Amino acid sequence: MNKIIVAIWFFFCTQAFAVTTHFCDCGTGAAVGCVAGASGNAGTAASPKQTLANFSTAFASAAAGDQLLFCQGGAWDSWNFESVPTTSSLAAYVANPLVISSYSSPNFSSTAKPILNVAASGNGFSFRQNAGTRRGGVRISGLKLDGGFRGGNVGFNANWNVQNIVFENSTVTQMQQWGGCGSAFGFGYASHITFRNLDLSYSTGMGIGTSGGCEYVVIENNTLNYGAMGSMT
């Protein structure tokens, strides 16, 4: 009984203190009328932050249950995000994950998925944990990752000792590789990685691939079009 009470108390406390940070920029492909945020803004829906640097800072301090939300109809150029949790946090809880998704801006009207224009040789979202304690608990949904055929880029990636990462309900297009997971000797392997309900098109290299091994990977209900070197490897 005491354990149940503690669990319920923990759940409601983490929910009560969860932080939501909003981001909006108006790069290539943004909706007509898009209103960009600013780095000095508070991070509310009406006063969002703007840049990749702002996002990286918020991610580094994020806790269980926090939300990092991109404006619908917004777009970001030269996107490249990689988390290495020895220097930035990837410690959200599996039962109460960090959520990266979208929101409807009160400053302009659009229902389009936020577009992250991924840089050449860049990553939409790449997570890796160096040797040590497994970290994880991130759910990403409702986004469009566009590689623009710029070469060498990857949509979603999870490597080296991370766990419980979910990529879902998003579009990934014109990439070198749509997504993957893997391991490296001495650094461990990715575990419990999910690719779900993704619209995947135009990969110039690998589709969804593994390198060195992953465990408990779920790949389900995805739509694949025009993948090179095989859709799944």
Side-chain angles (χ1 to χ4, degrees):
M1 177 62 74
N2 288 338
K3 290 182 178 179
I4 294 174
I5 292 172
V6 169
I8 293 173
W9 174 86
F10 176 79
F11 174 81
F12 282 105
C13 283
T14 54
Q15 290 293 318
F17 293 103
V19 174
T20 299
T21 307
H22 302 78
F23 306 86
C24 201
D25 200 6
C26 302
T28 304
V32 174
C34 177
V35 178
S39 295
N41 284 356
T44 64
S47 183
K49 293 187 178 296
Q50 181 181 15
T51 66
L52 170 60
N54 296 154
F55 176 86
S56 298
T57 297
F59 183 92
S61 60
D66 284 0
Q67 297 187 67
L68 306 178
L69 305 181
F70 297 94
C71 63
Q72 294 174 1
W76 286 256
D77 292 334
S78 301
W79 184 268
N80 180 20
F81 179 77
E82 181 175 21
S83 167
V84 184
T86 51
T87 57
S88 60
S89 174
L90 185 54
Y93 297 100
V94 172
N96 190 22
L98 167 65
V99 173
I100 300 172
S101 191
S102 66
Y103 75 99
S104 178
S105 173
N107 300 324
F108 66 101
S109 178
S110 179
T111 59
K113 291 176 182 174
I115 300 171
L116 306 182
N117 293 302
V118 181
S121 301
N123 299 280
F125 294 94
S126 181
F127 303 109
R128 60 188 174 96
Q129 166 69 33
N130 292 342
T133 304
R134 281 188 179 274
R135 297 292 180 89
V138 179
R139 183 179 296 270
I140 300 174
S141 68
L143 306 178
K144 179 179 180 180
L145 278 60
D146 193 332
F149 295 122
R150 284 177 280 274
N153 43 25
V154 180
F156 298 124
N157 211 8
N159 289 300
W160 302 6
N161 237 20
V162 298
Q163 65 177 351
N164 296 93
I165 309 293
V166 178
F167 305 114
E168 64 181 1
N169 303 322
S170 295
T171 298
V172 185
T173 187
Q174 300 182 150
M175 295 282 183
Q176 177 78 23
Q177 180 178 338
W178 293 324
C181 63
S183 63
F185 181 76
F187 291 98
Y189 47 87
S191 176
H192 295 86
I193 310 301
T194 298
F195 302 91
R196 176 191 296 135
N197 299 331
L198 300 174
D199 183 5
L200 307 169
S201 63
Y202 300 102
S203 74
T204 59
M206 194 178 296
I208 294 178
T210 63
S211 175
C214 308
E215 65 173 5
Y216 305 111
V217 178
V218 176
I219 301 175
E220 62 181 6
N221 201 36
N222 301 298
T223 301
L224 291 75
N225 289 292
Y226 304 105
M229 293 177 61
S231 298
M232 304 283 184
T233 54

